[in-house]
Amino acid sequence: MAEVAGLMQLELPDAGGVTWSVCLRDAEGTTLAAEHPEVPLRTASVGKVLLLLETARGLVAGDLSPDEPLTRSVDLWVGDSGLWHTLSVETLPLVDVAALVGAVSDNLATNVLLRRVGLAEVAARATALGLRSTALHDRVRDVRSDDHPATLSTGNAAELSSLMVRLANGTAIGPEPDRLVRQWLSANVDQSMVGSVLVDQAGLDPIAHHVSLGEERVLWNKTGTDAGVRADVGAVTAGGRTVAWAAVANWDPAVGTSLDHLTVWAVLRGMRQVGELVLDAVA
């Protein structure tokens, strides 16, 4: 990958057929490194950040109650990522449902919360934030037919990294809603991509890096995984310095073949290289 004048150099693996959109920014929003940052791609569960933003706005504004009971139902059921579908409890308070979305990207919790908050309201919030390529298009589905939106969410690294900076600074929705979103995302247990370097080399606990712990070093992020999609957006603060990132990779998956497994491996290596740049920038 060619170096862009004035920017840190990205050295992503040359994996055939993979399209990247990457952008790193400092706390002022200055671009530190970029690769095709304006290219819109599928972002899988990363779009759930928009749902959490609108949920946090509603909670702080009083439009939503943290104790409001939300009940799962068969029509919203999805059985892959998350915990709620493995639990016996049918009803949870709204704030706990949001916490499940942030911590384990819970798909059932996402659908239940989205039904309460409203897809149109989430879309309006994205528009109010000035997002054009970044959107949550639908609820999570086990099977996506021609009658459904083609993908759960889309976005590009330029918009997503800028949104992460605003979240870090408390200027996305506002100081208190943004703090809530950071708290939910700081419980994220998936550190298999960009975050893998930060937990391996920066001494952060892969599970206990919560904002609420009050540590000097804080990591919060949201990942997305689907066939032909890997995405990671977030920010890390260390030594009083904050660096935000968005890294998205798309490819045409050859499901079940060794070729696709090799592509996934190469993409994850690329995510780690983005993490190494983030670590260098925050040092």
Side-chain angles (χ1 to χ4, degrees):
M1 181 181 304
E3 183 174 3
V4 180
L7 301 184
M8 302 174 74
Q9 186 173 6
L10 280 165
E11 293 289 351
L12 299 174
D14 184 15
V18 177
T19 301
W20 286 91
S21 184
V22 180
C23 189
L24 278 63
R25 299 183 189 270
D26 64 19
E28 287 70 47
T30 302
T31 299
L32 303 176
E35 171 75 2
H36 305 306
E38 304 290 345
V39 173
L41 297 173
R42 294 171 291 137
T43 55
S45 290
V46 162
K48 296 172 186 178
V49 172
L50 300 175
L51 172 60
L52 293 178
L53 279 163
E54 179 57 16
T55 300
R57 184 213 62 79
L59 286 168
V60 173
D63 300 331
L64 299 171
S65 168
D67 298 326
E68 178 181 347
L70 299 183
T71 302
R72 65 190 186 188
S73 59
V74 173
D75 61 307
L76 298 179
W77 196 271
V78 277
D80 45 13
S81 75
L83 287 174
W84 199 3
H85 70 284
T86 72
L87 304 179
S88 61
V89 62
E90 296 289 337
T91 300
L92 289 169
L94 184 148
V95 72
D96 287 353
V97 175
L100 282 173
V101 175
V104 292
S105 197
D106 196 297
N107 283 337
L108 178 56
T110 297
N111 287 350
V112 173
L113 186 61
L114 185 60
R115 178 174 59 185
R116 174 62 183 89
V117 173
L119 185 61
E121 285 72 17
V122 174
R125 183 55 43 199
T127 298
L129 287 165
L131 304 175
R132 297 294 176 264
S133 296
T134 302
L136 180 67
H137 299 290
D138 195 15
R139 70 175 180 87
V140 185
R141 300 179 186 275
D142 284 328
V143 178
R144 200 164 283 282
S145 73
D146 292 340
D147 295 330
H148 303 138
T151 191
L152 177 64
S153 73
T154 53
N156 66 39
E159 288 187 351
L160 285 164
S161 61
S162 179
L163 180 60
M164 295 304 105
V165 170
R166 293 162 70 183
L167 260 175
N169 293 338
T171 58
I173 305 297
E176 182 57 19
D178 292 356
R179 184 197 66 78
L180 270 177
V181 176
R182 293 195 306 270
Q183 179 176 314
W184 291 328
L185 296 181
S186 71
N188 180 25
V189 299
D190 179 15
Q191 302 305 331
S192 61
M193 299 185 224
V194 175
S196 63
V197 173
L198 302 175
V199 299
D200 288 348
Q201 299 183 28
L204 291 166
D205 191 302
I207 297 176
H209 45 266
H210 301 185
V211 168
S212 59
L213 295 179
E215 300 291 340
E216 179 185 354
R217 291 174 295 176
V218 173
L219 164 66
W220 50 268
N221 69 322
K222 182 73 194 76
T223 55
T225 298
D226 203 349
V229 181
R230 293 296 185 277
D232 193 336
V233 303
V236 64
T237 299
R241 181 170 173 80
T242 297
V243 174
W245 71 85
V248 185
N250 280 191
W251 67 96
D252 184 13
V255 178
T257 70
S258 59
L259 178 63
D260 192 56
H261 294 321
L262 290 173
T263 302
V264 171
W265 179 77
V267 166
L268 291 179
R269 280 200 301 123
M271 289 290 183
R272 285 190 61 88
Q273 290 177 17
V274 174
E276 288 167 359
L277 271 192
V278 171
L279 188 61
D280 288 344
V282 82

